[in-house]
Amino acid sequence: MGTWGDKMVLRNEKRHCLLVFIIITGWLIPGTVVAGPVLAGCAVFPPDNIWNTPVADLPVDARSDSYIASMGADTGLHADFGSGTWNGGPIGIPLTLVDNTQPMVAVGFDYADESDAGPYPIPDDAAIEGGSQADGDRHVLILQTDSCILYELFNARQQTGHSWHAGSGARFDLNAHALRPDGWTSADAAGLPILPGLVRYEELASGHLDHAVRFTAVHTRKEHLWPARHDASSLTGMSYPPMGQRFRLKADVDISGFPPMVRVLLQAMKTYGIILADNGANWFISGVPDDRWDNDLLHQLGNIKGSDFEAVDVSSLMENHDSGRVKGAALPGTGRAMPQLHLLLRD
């Protein structure tokens, strides 16, 4: 009969096989998606957004080998999230949910010329990456669930009263595809939103993760690729990856020996890949802190090495440089939205 975990992974593998079948047979245009992630009733961008688009069949980037070498071919993958605390704070990038009754408060920015002006709906007890006493990035992510507007801040600190100050801040409408002005940062060095690339416990527990995952690298190039809008490096060597570079776990990497929830994550990395979004430790992937995480289980990701990945060329998916929407988002000749894959996957 099998365990719950085995059945969960089997369902996920069936989803992936059906997706591959659909693409190969031409039922849907290659590079498109059929369902997107949902959080607190909000779609985390439309299903045809670049974050939610499979890249399993796209060509390998010509500089893949040099990018991998620069980040460490023998360096293991690392989950920069988990349960419990580290240095007194939660492990990962937390998310705070608010509704439209949350008061808007003033926010000041160090990089005001590249930030979306306040006010922002930030509660006094908003969760801060690393905790209230942390140094480091101190990201604050606020999702207003009535409007599905995402607010993200870098190096956020509460001031006297209810106001806040941050290094930079950005606002994203999760129902739309709009990118930031080219050259603008966000709460991330790549000028991208953070939330769409975070791994959440409930996603892996459900048996599928349907989006690309955010990750970091120590050295990046002074360049950014769509959908990224910003870079933060003085290095010009072509061996360093640019911000926004997409990678995927190679199709022939054997993940069958990993625990079920880890397999779900690794399969997503084969299907949707990972996006370079910030400078940080090599091959660190991002997620939301949760007391349900099994840290020992997450540590098994270290058995996956940099050499197990390859850089992907996503340029064929770009419809408009200022939009995250991918080409071919409707059924050929119909103008109709793509069918929802989860409706086709009955147990």
Side-chain angles (χ1 to χ4, degrees):
M1 294 178 62
T3 65
W4 171 85
D6 291 334
K7 292 178 180 178
M8 177 180 71
V9 171
L10 178 60
R11 286 198 297 271
N12 186 48
E13 291 173 348
K14 288 166 63 179
R15 287 171 58 91
H16 177 66
C17 290
L18 180 55
L19 176 60
V20 172
F21 169 78
I22 289 171
I23 292 174
I24 291 175
T25 59
W27 187 13
L28 295 182
I29 299 172
T32 58
V33 294
V34 289
V38 175
L39 174 60
C42 294
V44 185
F45 288 125
D48 54 343
N49 188 273
I50 183 61
W51 279 100
N52 305 326
T53 301
V55 296
D57 296 322
L58 293 182
V60 175
D61 190 284
R63 295 191 175 92
S64 180
D65 289 345
S66 60
Y67 293 164
I68 299 299
S70 76
M71 295 185 291
D74 296 325
T75 301
L77 195 64
H78 178 81
D80 196 19
F81 58 92
S83 60
T85 62
W86 186 78
N87 280 352
I91 307 171
I93 302 176
L95 171 68
T96 299
L97 302 177
V98 300
D99 59 24
N100 59 11
T101 65
Q102 172 61 46
M104 305 292 280
V105 300
V107 185
F109 299 106
D110 294 332
Y111 301 101
D113 59 334
E114 294 183 20
S115 295
D116 293 322
Y120 286 24
I122 313 174
D124 290 341
D125 61 350
I128 301 172
E129 181 184 10
S132 60
Q133 303 303 311
D135 294 321
D137 287 349
R138 294 180 61 92
H139 286 117
V140 168
L141 278 55
I142 307 290
L143 176 59
Q144 192 176 54
T145 57
D146 295 294
S147 62
C148 297
I149 302 296
L150 172 66
Y151 300 81
E152 298 187 341
L153 301 99
F154 162 72
N155 196 21
R157 299 175 186 273
Q158 190 171 21
Q159 306 300 293
T160 302
H162 302 290
S163 66
W164 288 71
H165 189 87
S168 55
R171 182 190 301 109
F172 299 93
D173 181 353
L174 294 184
N175 293 310
H177 294 287
L179 301 177
R180 297 179 64 66
D182 197 15
W184 279 32
T185 189
S186 59
D188 234 352
L192 294 168
I194 295 172
L195 175 62
L198 298 183
V199 179
R200 293 179 280 119
Y201 180 89
E202 55 268 25
E203 292 179 302
L204 301 194
S206 74
H208 60 94
L209 187 153
D210 301 319
H211 60 82
V213 174
R214 173 189 188 266
F215 88 106
T216 62
V218 174
H219 299 300
T220 56
R221 192 162 79 234
K222 188 180 180 180
E223 185 178 344
H224 55 276
L225 300 179
W226 178 84
R229 312 302 278 173
H230 184 263
D231 46 78
S233 174
S234 61
L235 300 174
T236 58
M238 300 304 289
S239 62
Y240 301 111
M243 284 294 178
Q245 179 67 55
R246 192 87 157 236
F247 294 80
R248 68 181 170 224
L249 190 62
K250 294 176 180 176
D252 60 358
V253 173
D254 184 6
I255 63 175
S256 62
F258 287 91
M261 288 184 69
V262 176
R263 271 185 279 168
V264 171
L265 176 54
L266 294 176
Q267 182 59 60
M269 292 182 183
K270 290 187 176 188
T271 305
Y272 296 95
I274 59 178
I275 296 181
L276 179 56
D278 202 0
N279 291 114
N282 288 326
W283 302 114
F284 272 43
I285 61 171
S286 305
V288 178
D290 196 306
D291 287 338
R292 295 172 293 179
W293 287 122
D294 182 335
N295 291 340
D296 290 335
L297 182 149
L298 293 175
H299 288 160
Q300 294 190 35
L301 288 168
N303 293 313
I304 297 293
K305 306 300 182 184
S307 58
D308 293 320
F309 287 88
E310 57 193 4
V312 182
D313 181 356
V314 303
S315 60
S316 63
L317 299 180
M318 186 177 70
E319 181 178 69
N320 184 308
H321 183 259
D322 295 319
S323 171
R325 186 176 186 265
V326 299
K327 286 182 180 178
L331 290 171
T334 68
R336 292 185 287 110
M338 297 176 294
Q340 296 293 302
L341 180 60
H342 68 269
L343 297 178
L344 306 173
L345 294 164
R346 303 297 187 188
D347 290 332

